[in-house]
């Protein structure tokens, strides 16, 4: 009796709490782990302690300043200021900020970066060590200088003009031109339409120094700035340092008002059609602008956000189901509710029609949206979507200590800029559960009707020249037809109560031996069917489990004539579903679960990779089991694949980047090389459904030929019965395969060519490469990477900073072990066609300097320190332990042994690099392709 009363009391208490929590006007529960404060000068600060990566912290400054604040004669100055923040400050002259941080392993564009948008500018220093004496203070001082200490010297300003112009040039293509053309429609002729952050190149070339300094003074001020420090730090100590360092920055007297631009309502649908010679496929964006509240968020806002997500997710599922049918008029279609501007959101559809099917594609997608407006969602759809969100919250809560710095900063940024609540996710989930409890299908239906208004509609069409593009009149007629279609019927959801292995008989096997590897801290299981599984427990990331199964062979064992089909195996398998279920049913079966697998065939390997949470390991292993015993090959999915390939070919037709790549391929290998094929009509014709099936079954026919590795937050005792049931039960053979050497030689050892292409915006693109047989070793791998990174530092200094000739040069390298031991390195950059010869000459001079051992020791120290930092950070993730098992079992070395990484890194000298580069450059095969605009 006592127990019954206790239960009754708890139920009553829960009901009372539920009722209180669902007051829509209540504020949302605050995340008390985030320390927020405001200094007397108006600057806001946020501090969050986490050891997701030990002994590092990330530092951000969020400026409530973007291109929207520029006057007509200032277009581009907000973005220009962002660049100048890395070109000299009060306490860090010249490149002082980069030099200081790079000495501690930080890498520019990876750990150190910034961006400018319409409404904000954000600077970041990520994963900076906190256990180096004085470095925390140095990092805070950099934030201080970004807030109130930019030097803005005339020489640095003039140097950066060229860099900005080259950034503009690099980003220019058909899609960017069409995006810019769409802005007046997208933003309803507000100031946003004329404030692309990159700015006007006329302004960039001609603005006076005072104009930039005035913009800095007017807008980089304490009432528009927030700093965020996230990481392995002491909150009280950091707060004290912030108050002392940043509190002395004076507030601006009589500041200019920071106005929020609101996109006005429109009663008549806004329309834009854009075409470009370099764009050969169409897209249709149909959106409805929504107001965005900047007031303190309440439970009502959380409920609205949840409904937005649920509506988008369920409609996307239906649209995806349509796209998986061969007769679909679109390649893809999606629904989203997202931010448009500071004070506006947008809800709507993004559609990629098949060629000459714009009208039908628009009608089909809009019909599905209207089906939801008229009839709402089925109970099955709602149940699955609730399961998805429940699982999402449970997973986030279980991994709360592993929340990445970037995710925390994103929450902070939205709080500062848009006043979004920084919630306690556990308490937020309690509210979500109550909302789910009280939600009815009618609630969601009513909400969709609220979103689907007749005003604030915007239709933006990316058209194609000489195609029947969707006109405004046609669109309005289609909208009227769909909205008044009396024949429209409700969606039927026939999926009920199925599981992955429904109807499949599985006869479990056994674990026949179990052996511990003391060096790795792992266990090797040998199963009764001959499969070997290496397992290691690690909870470095809570509730995270990874799987990889790898076998040698890959494309090297496939006939040349079948290579086009082999390239599509993974895609068709994904599109077809698995076992008895198509791709649509698979998403329904897996609703509420975190488990997925992916198959891939590469040049020398075939593999299955998997990712899951602890509770869903069984589901992941069921997926692996089915990949071997019951793969699915759906003929209707193959027809969809053929359509998609044809659309991809159309898309590539006018794309400059693809033309460049095809030119390189044919120059190096010729037009008829059976292994290095161009993606063309003939290639698509040779993709065969039957060949895809036979290739898959051949490559994945013997699980015992695969090396299985499983690592993560999963106990050995929980794993063993699952291995016996799902892996030991797989049919196997004794056949073992090896890869073959089918490598392809270049037609010539030296390839130098200028290629002229028609392009709308003139741009030169440089691609330089060298390759040479080189002994594979871990040390040579590190030395080649050091050469790569030092060269990239030098090209950043010369091509970008000294010459203002490019936005940036990328350098890539690789040292292959199979099928041949070969070193490759590759330099790539865009630039002004008039400067290309000079810049190419500089590249060769910098390579020559390294070959002559003219290597700046500071540059070597920077790259070596970055490798040590990366190695330390890698160990904070489950994926590192998966790589340890792979490298031990397949490559034959222990990644955890310092002699295989740490000792090599610390031993690198300039002489080592010089020696490698001399070997690499002597009699190396090479190419130099320079693409120029056709005049």
């Amino acid at each position: 009796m006592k127990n019954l009363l206790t239960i009754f009391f708890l139920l009553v208490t829960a009901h009372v709490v539920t009722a209180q929590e669902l007051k829509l006007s209540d504020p949302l529960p605050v995340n008390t782990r985030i320390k927020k404060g405001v200094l007397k000068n108006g600057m806001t600060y946020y501090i969050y302690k986490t050891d997701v990566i030990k002994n590092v912290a990330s530092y951000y400054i969020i400026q409530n300043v973007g291109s929207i604040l520029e006057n007509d004669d200032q277009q581009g100055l907000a973005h220009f200021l962002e660049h100048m923040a890395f070109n000299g400050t009060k306490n860090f002259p010249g490149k002082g900020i980069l030099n200081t941080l790079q000495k501690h392993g930080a890498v520019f564009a990876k750990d150190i970066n910034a961006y400018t948008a319409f409404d904000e500018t954000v600077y970041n220093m990520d994963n900076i060590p906190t256990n180096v004496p004085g470095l925390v203070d140095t990092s805070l001082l950099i934030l201080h200088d970004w807030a109130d200490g930019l030097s803005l010297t005339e020489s640095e300003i003039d140097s950066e003009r060229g860099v900005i112009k080259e950034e503009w040039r690099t980003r220019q293509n058909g899609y960017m031109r069409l995006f810019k053309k769409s802005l007046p429609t997208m933003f309803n002729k507000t100031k946003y339409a004329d404030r692309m952050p990159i700015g006007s190149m006329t302004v960039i070339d001609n603005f006076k120094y005072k104009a930039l300094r005035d913009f800095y003074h007017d807008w980089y001020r304490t009432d528009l700035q927030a700093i965020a420090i996230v990481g392995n730090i002491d909150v009280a100590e950091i707060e004290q340092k912030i108050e002392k360092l940043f509190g002395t920055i004076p507030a601006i007297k009589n500041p200019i008002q920071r106005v929020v631009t609101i996109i006005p309502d429109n009663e008549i649908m806004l329309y834009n059609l854009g075409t470009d010679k370099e764009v050969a496929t169409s897209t249709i964006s149909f959106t409805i602008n929504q107001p965005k509240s900047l007031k303190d968020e309440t439970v009502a806002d959380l409920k609205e956000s949840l409904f937005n997500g649920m509506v988008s997710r369920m409609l996307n599922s239906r649209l995806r189901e349509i796209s998986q049918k061969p007769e679909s008029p679109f390649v893809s279609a999606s629904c989203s509710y997202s931010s448009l501007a500071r004070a506006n959101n947008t809800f709507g559809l993004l559609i990629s029609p098949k060629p000459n099917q714009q009208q039908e594609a628009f009608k089909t997608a809009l019909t599905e949206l209207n089906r939801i407006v008229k009839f709402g969602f089925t109970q099955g759809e709602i149940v699955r979507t609730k399961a998805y969100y429940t699982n999402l919250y449970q997973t986030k809560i279980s991994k709360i200590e592993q929340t990445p710095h970037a995710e925390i900063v994103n929450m902070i940024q939205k709080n500062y800029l848009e006043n979004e609540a920084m919630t306690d996710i556990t308490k937020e989930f309690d509210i979500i559960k109550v909302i789910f409890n009280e939600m009815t299908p009618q609630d969601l239906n009513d909400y969709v009707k609220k979103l689907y208004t007749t005003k604030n509609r915007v239709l933006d069409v990316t058209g194609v020249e000489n195609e029947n593009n969707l006109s405004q009149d046609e669109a309005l007629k289609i909208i009227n037809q769909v909205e008044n279609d009396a024949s429209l019927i409700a969606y039927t959801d026939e999926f009920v109560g199925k599981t992955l292995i429904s109807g499949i008989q599985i006869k479990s096997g056994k674990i026949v031996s179990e052996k511990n590897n003391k060096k790795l801290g792992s266990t090797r299981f040998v199963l009764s069917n001959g499969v070997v599984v290496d397992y290691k427990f690690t909870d470095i990331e809570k509730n995270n489990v990874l799987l990889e199964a790898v076998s040698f062979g890959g494309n090297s064992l496939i006939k040349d004539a079948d290579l086009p089909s082999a390239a599509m195996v993974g895609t068709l398998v994904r599109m077809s579903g698995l076992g008895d279920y198509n791709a649509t049913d698979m998403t329904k079966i897996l609703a509420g679960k975190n488990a997925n697998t992916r198959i891939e065939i590469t040049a020398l390997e075939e593999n299955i990779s998997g990712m899951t949470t602890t509770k869903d390991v069984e589901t992941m292993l069921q997926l692996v089991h089915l990949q071997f015993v019951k793969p699915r090959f759906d003929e209707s999915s193959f027809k969809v694949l053929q359509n998609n390939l044809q659309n991809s070919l159309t898309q590539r037709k006018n794309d400059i980047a693809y033309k460049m790549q095809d030119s390189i391929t044919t120059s190096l290998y010729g037009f008829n090389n059976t292994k290095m094929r161009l993606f063309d009509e003939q290639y698509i014709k040779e993709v065969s459904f039957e060949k895809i099936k036979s290739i898959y079954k051949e490559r994945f026919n013997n699980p015992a030929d695969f090396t299985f590795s499983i690592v993560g937050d999963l106990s050995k005792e929980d794993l063993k019965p699952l291995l016996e049931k799902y892996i030991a039960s797989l049919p196997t053979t004794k056949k073992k395969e090896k890869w073959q050497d089918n490598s392809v030689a270049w037609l010539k050892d030296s390839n130098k060519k200028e290629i002229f292409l028609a392009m709308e915006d003139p741009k030169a693109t440089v691609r330089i490469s060298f390759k040479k047989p080189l002994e594979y070793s871990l040390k040579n791998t590190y030395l080649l990477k050091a050469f790569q990174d030092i060269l990239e530092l030098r090209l950043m200094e010369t091509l970008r900073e000294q010459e203002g000739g490019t936005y940036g040069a990328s350098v890539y390298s690789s040292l292959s072990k199979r099928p041949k031991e070969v070193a490759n390195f590759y330099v790539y950059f865009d630039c002004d066609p008039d400067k290309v010869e000079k810049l190419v000459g500089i590249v060769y001079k910098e390579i020559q300097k390294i070959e002559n051992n003219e290597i700046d020791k500071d540059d070597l120290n920077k790259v070596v320190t970055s490798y040590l930092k990366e190695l330390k950070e890698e160990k904070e993730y489950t994926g590192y332990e998966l790589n340890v098992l792979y490298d031990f079992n397949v490559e034959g070395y222990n990644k955890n042994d310092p002699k295989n990484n740490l000792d090599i890194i610390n031993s690198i000298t300039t002489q080592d690099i010089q020696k490698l580069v001399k070997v690499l450059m002597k009699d190396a095969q090479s190419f130099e392709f320079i693409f120029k605009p056709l005049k």
Side-chain angles (χ1 to χ4, degrees), residues 585-644:
D585 285 347
M586 283 295 293
T587 61
K588 296 174 181 178
I589 285 175
L590 296 175
K593 295 183 183 296
N594 278 316
N596 65 73
T597 57
R598 176 190 178 94
I599 73 102
E600 186 178 22
I601 302 176
T602 63
L604 302 179
E605 293 180 346
E606 45 272 334
N607 67 70
I608 299 177
S609 56
M611 177 184 294
T612 187
T613 52
T614 305
K615 74 177 178 65
D616 292 323
V617 169
E618 182 169 12
T619 301
M620 179 184 72
L621 291 177
Q622 288 174 350
L623 292 168
V624 172
H625 184 93
L626 290 172
Q627 297 281 18
F628 282 109
V629 304
K630 206 168 185 180
R632 182 183 174 89
F633 303 96
D634 189 283
E635 291 202 54
S636 65
S637 295
F638 179 69
K639 291 177 182 176
V640 174
L641 173 61
Q642 288 178 308
N643 289 335
N644 292 350

Side-chain angles (χ1 to χ4, degrees), residues 501 504-511 526-533 547-550 578 597 599 608 618-631 696 699-710 720-734:
I501 54 174
I504 296 177
Q505 298 299 316
I506 298 176
K507 186 178 180 180
S508 297
K510 294 289 183 184
I511 295 173
V526 178
L527 310 184
S528 54
N529 59 353
V531 173
V532 176
V533 180
L547 172 145
E548 187 170 45
V550 181
L578 193 58
T597 57
I599 73 102
I608 299 177
E618 182 169 12
T619 301
M620 179 184 72
L621 291 177
Q622 288 174 350
L623 292 168
V624 172
H625 184 93
L626 290 172
Q627 297 281 18
F628 282 109
V629 304
K630 206 168 185 180
Y696 182 94
R699 297 291 86 233
F700 293 90
N701 73 336
N702 182 22
D705 195 31
F706 284 73
T707 300
F708 281 77
S709 301
I710 298 174
K720 287 164 70 173
L722 298 177
L723 289 180
E724 291 182 325
K725 182 172 183 180
Y726 298 111
I727 306 301
S729 60
L730 294 170
T732 60
T733 70
K734 295 189 181 299

Side-chain angles (χ1 to χ4, degrees), residues 344-357:
N344 293 87
N345 290 317
T346 184
F347 167 75
L349 300 168
L350 182 64
I351 307 159
S352 297
K354 292 177 180 176
N356 287 303
Q357 296 192 55

Side-chain angles (χ1 to χ4, degrees), residues 337-406:
Y337 186 100
S338 58
S339 177
L340 176 64
R342 177 63 57 83
N344 293 87
N345 290 317
T346 184
F347 167 75
L349 300 168
L350 182 64
I351 307 159
S352 297
K354 292 177 180 176
N356 287 303
Q357 296 192 55
Q358 291 180 32
Q359 291 75 9
E360 190 58 34
F362 180 56
K363 183 178 181 180
T364 301
L366 190 67
T367 296
E368 208 52 49
L369 174 54
N370 273 268
R371 196 187 312 277
I372 287 170
V373 173
K374 191 169 183 177
F375 300 105
F377 299 99
T378 68
Q379 189 63 41
E381 288 176 304
I382 295 171
V383 167
R384 289 191 295 273
T385 306
K386 285 182 179 179
Y388 164 80
Y389 278 101
T390 298
N391 181 63
L392 182 68
Y393 273 97
Q394 289 172 340
T395 303
K396 277 183 170 291
I397 291 167
S398 73
K399 296 184 177 187
I400 199 161
E401 297 303 328
Q402 272 78 48
T403 307
H405 289 188

